[in-house]
Amino acid sequence: MNRVFRSHIIDITGIILIAILVYFISFSSGLGLSFDIPPSLLNLNVIFISILIEALPFVLIGVLIAGFIQIFITEDHIKRWIPKNRTAAVVMSCVAGALFPACECGIVPIIRRLMSKGVPVYAAIGFMLTGPLINPIVIASTYMAFGNDFEMAGLRMGLGFLIAIIVAFSVSIIFKSGQLKESIHLPHSSEKNRSFLDRVWSMLTPSIDEFFDMAKYLIIGALLASIVQVYMPAKTFLQSADNPVVSLLIMMGFAYVLSLCSEADAFIGASFSSIFPKSSVLGFLIFGPMIDFKNTIMMLSVFRMKFVLGILALTASVVFFTLLFVQNFI
Amino acid sequence: MKIHFQQALRALILLAFCGLIFQLHHTGDITKYINPKYVRLSQSASILFLFLFFIQITRIWTSKGDEVVHKHHHGQDCFHQDDHTCSHHHHDHGDTPFTVKKLLSYSIILFPLLTGFFLPAKTLDASIAEKKGGLSILGNQKQEVNSSESFDESDFDLEDYSFEEEIAETGELEHDLSVNEEAEEISNEEFERLKKELYSAPAIKMDDKVFSLYYEEISKDIDKFIGREIEFQGFIYKEDGLDSNQLVISRFLITHCVADASMIGFLSEIEEAPELYDNMWVKVSGVIEKAAYNGTEMPMIKIKEWKEIEEPFIPYLYPLTIKIL
């Protein structure tokens, strides 16, 4: 009896919510252009919304995978899979990231779940750095953007992998575990005996909570990135392109603030290749997918501020010095 | 029975995201945000949101029984901590009391929904072109001289001419009608054929489909194209430091979403340049010449004819995707 009553109420609530939304949509299309808003703000809004629309599918996939990890993967699994040896764990996590097709905004909820399940921090970082950088779509787009030439795509993947290993290894030396912002205690392990369908269901509700946790950081990051795009004049920076050190720093800075999706940044990178030397363009292509503005803000939802800044500084300097070192050979 | 208003708010937000994406598809404005190639991806996001919405509405009402289970559940997690810090530090399930901090985070999430629904979708304009680096970024792509690619021009001339016309016409038709245009994926042969056409046709017609390909080819080796006739359309962008009869007629190339727009276009010389203004769309024909800007060589178009046009429904260009297999 109560159950029947309840399911009716749920139906009705759903219908009411849909009605509210339909009302708003019809209201909005009537309102249209009547505001007098400066064009730069409209430009800002278009870029901001487009970043969100681009990122949302990946974030949703990310939170669903995170939900999946929470329900289906136990601490015991993780203990068995991750090698005891630290070096082996670092290498393995980087390889796993390379095999796992992700994008830099979808990967944050995933590593958060993995770490709460007991994955050591250095392995999580290795996974986070290679996940968005090395995957088939990125390889293909880089290949095409640079005039169907495998050299840049190859260098991007190879050097990126090397850099990720160096960073993850340094993390394992410098940082202790327990860098998570809050101890995320999970309702675990009584789930084992339940039916598969039940478990799927209980994977979905935490996914929704995860989405609401992530969404606000994603939105702030996207907003900041679009403000930079609309108000920062790239031109003034482009004029100081002669010095290889300065130009590498400029390109890495660009990659960071523009916060492009790793699958789309190759064409932008290629458009700079007439102005900047190859090593600087590589800096853009490698640093951007690893860490950017949007991604840093999202990381703040998982890690302590100090740790996020540490990772940022560490990754930036490893990318910088590696490229400075190799620029004579490429 | 107890109603949870926060859960209801969350359900509404999920539905609103679904609705926003759906509305953009419905009106066709989605092309002002992302490359149509990724339309499927954002559609599936919309469907996922709807799905999560249906799951979320089951959480709005809880009966007494559920409540007890839930409390118990939390109690177990907090076993090692004192209760206060636990509820504070716990991952938010949306059933803790409503605080200022929460108000802030819900407002952040509502913000893009409001601007997305209420502000019109605008096309990127000349001011963005300037911020993207303007002319200095247009400089030539890599200087690769590919000697194997010289074609015997006379072979193609006649038969390709009529064909080319046809393509131009159908191209324009397609362009008007379809918003949900399928991703343009072409085979390698098609790609080579388009390239050949560039070299053989009497006048180079820069359709939206081939614009970026032809642009790249022309910039790569300007000398081969000097003196050729060219036709294209784009918006006007003027930059400081150009002569009074010079301007740039450009387009934005969108790989994924408008945030990664890169500008491509031709420096052009046109007598009436002072009368033309930023963001005005024009269709032009002219002859390719070579010019130098800040020490980089780039193609320059001497415009012979021009007319003002409406901004196209799909103002952006998208890179050609070639099937690699």
Side-chain angles (χ1 to χ4, degrees), chain A residues 215-292:
Chain A
K216 51 178 184 276
Y217 293 98
L218 172 71
I219 289 166
I220 296 173
L223 187 62
L224 291 176
S226 47
I227 288 173
V228 167
Q229 287 218 0
V230 177
Y231 295 104
M232 184 191 74
K235 252 174 96 179
T236 46
F237 293 99
L238 297 181
Q239 269 135 27
S240 50
D242 298 337
N243 184 329
V245 176
V246 177
S247 68
L248 178 57
L249 284 174
I250 288 176
M251 286 305 279
M252 284 170 60
F254 270 146
Y256 184 76
V257 293
L258 292 181
S259 301
L260 301 170
C261 196
S262 58
E263 278 131 35
D265 62 358
F267 285 88
I268 302 289
S271 73
F272 285 111
S273 59
S274 59
I275 315 174
F276 289 109
K278 203 183 265 179
S279 60
S280 312
V281 176
L282 271 174
F284 179 88
L285 293 176
I286 294 174
F287 188 55
M290 287 182 165
I291 292 187
D292 60 32

Side-chain angles (χ1 to χ4, degrees), chain A residues 9 13 209 213 229 268 274, chain B residues 10 61 91 93 115 140 259-260:
Chain A
I9 277 208
T13 325
D209 297 330
D213 275 357
Q229 287 218 0
I268 302 289
S274 59
Chain B
R10 287 180 169 210
W61 296 92
H91 180 60
H93 291 297
T115 64
N140 47 357
D260 60 54

Side-chain angles (χ1 to χ4, degrees), chain B residues 27-198:
Chain B
T27 57
D29 277 349
I30 193 81
T31 53
K32 297 220 164 69
Y33 295 98
I34 58 169
N35 183 338
K37 198 177 136 198
Y38 295 96
V39 156
R40 284 280 155 71
L41 197 63
S42 77
Q43 273 168 348
S44 49
S46 178
I47 292 165
L48 270 178
F49 273 122
L50 190 65
F51 177 64
L52 293 180
F53 162 73
F54 283 124
I55 288 168
Q56 178 67 16
I57 51 175
T58 64
R59 301 167 83 191
I60 297 175
W61 296 92
T62 46
S63 60
K64 287 265 151 58
D66 292 348
E67 198 81 337
V68 173
V69 171
H70 204 88
K71 284 266 158 60
H72 179 65
H73 199 63
H74 272 233
Q76 235 177 9
D77 293 343
C78 305
F79 194 66
H80 297 292
Q81 305 179 0
D82 69 346
D83 267 330
H84 180 72
T85 55
C86 179
S87 67
H88 200 74
H89 277 251
H90 207 280
H91 180 60
D92 181 17
H93 291 297
D95 29 51
T96 43
F98 206 82
T99 58
V100 178
K101 207 177 155 195
K102 281 192 153 186
L103 180 68
L104 187 69
S105 63
Y106 281 115
S107 339
I108 291 171
I109 295 177
L110 284 171
F111 176 68
L113 289 169
L114 294 176
T115 64
F117 274 121
F118 292 108
L119 296 183
K122 188 177 175 308
T123 316
L124 297 187
D125 59 19
S127 68
I128 297 289
E130 195 206 331
K131 293 289 185 305
K132 295 253 177 206
L135 252 191
S136 46
I137 207 128
L138 285 184
N140 47 357
Q141 317 280 21
K142 276 182 295 175
Q143 286 288 353
E144 281 170 20
V145 184
N146 221 336
S147 53
S148 64
E149 270 182 303
S150 57
F151 296 100
D152 194 358
E153 293 195 8
S154 55
D155 273 2
F156 299 100
D157 257 351
L158 272 177
E159 49 189 25
D160 270 6
Y161 181 50
S162 56
F163 193 44
E164 151 96 42
E165 287 283 271
E166 244 171 56
I167 285 191
E169 274 167 35
T170 49
E172 260 172 28
L173 267 180
E174 262 170 26
H175 174 108
D176 284 342
L177 115 202
S178 57
V179 177
N180 285 331
E181 201 169 350
E182 273 302 299
E184 286 272 14
E185 216 174 68
I186 60 168
S187 62
N188 221 344
E189 296 97 67
E190 169 94 356
F191 179 73
E192 291 301 329
R193 189 181 63 76
L194 287 171
K195 257 196 191 172
K196 275 182 196 164
E197 258 175 36
L198 168 64

Side-chain angles (χ1 to χ4, degrees), chain A residues 39-48 50 226 229-230, chain B residues 31-33 120-130 132 234-237 250-254 257-263 278-281 311 315-316:
Chain A
S40 66
L41 276 186
L42 290 181
N43 277 334
L44 178 69
N45 181 50
V46 166
I47 294 178
F48 168 54
S50 87
S226 47
Q229 287 218 0
V230 177
Chain B
T31 53
K32 297 220 164 69
Y33 295 98
K122 188 177 175 308
T123 316
L124 297 187
D125 59 19
S127 68
I128 297 289
E130 195 206 331
K132 295 253 177 206
F235 67 88
I236 305 261
Y237 159 61
S250 46
R251 304 290 297 264
F252 282 111
L253 180 72
I254 310 286
C257 72
V258 295
D260 60 54
S262 58
M263 176 192 159
D278 271 358
N279 299 324
M280 175 181 171
W281 278 80
E311 181 185 309
Y316 302 122

Side-chain angles (χ1 to χ4, degrees), chain A residues 136-212:
Chain A
I137 305 169
V138 177
I139 296 176
S141 71
T142 316
Y143 171 75
M144 280 193 295
F146 288 89
N148 294 1
D149 184 8
F150 259 123
E151 193 197 357
M152 281 306 259
L155 281 172
R156 183 181 191 184
M157 302 304 138
L159 286 174
F161 190 77
L162 182 74
I163 288 166
I165 286 190
I166 296 172
V167 172
F169 200 70
S170 323
V171 168
S172 77
I173 295 165
I174 300 169
F175 294 101
K176 297 276 169 293
S177 57
Q179 296 296 338
L180 285 176
K181 192 166 145 196
E182 50 203 46
S183 43
I184 304 168
H185 287 270
L186 298 163
H188 46 82
S189 296
S190 58
E191 325 261 353
K192 266 184 192 153
N193 312 325
R194 290 158 57 188
S195 76
F196 181 78
L197 262 180
D198 256 14
R199 290 167 76 179
V200 170
W201 184 259
S202 56
M203 149 191 157
L204 290 171
T205 44
S207 293
I208 293 174
D209 297 330
E210 191 95 51
F211 172 75
F212 279 90

Side-chain angles (χ1 to χ4, degrees), chain A residues 49-85:
Chain A
I49 300 287
S50 87
I51 295 180
L52 284 184
I53 290 183
E54 179 200 37
L56 280 174
F58 295 105
V59 173
L60 283 177
I61 295 167
V63 298
L64 286 176
I65 294 176
F68 175 86
I69 292 171
Q70 161 156 2
I71 303 301
F72 289 93
I73 295 180
T74 64
E75 284 87 339
D76 295 341
H77 289 140
I78 300 278
K79 266 191 203 121
R80 250 180 293 146
W81 291 337
I82 301 248
K84 291 278 171 306
N85 181 319

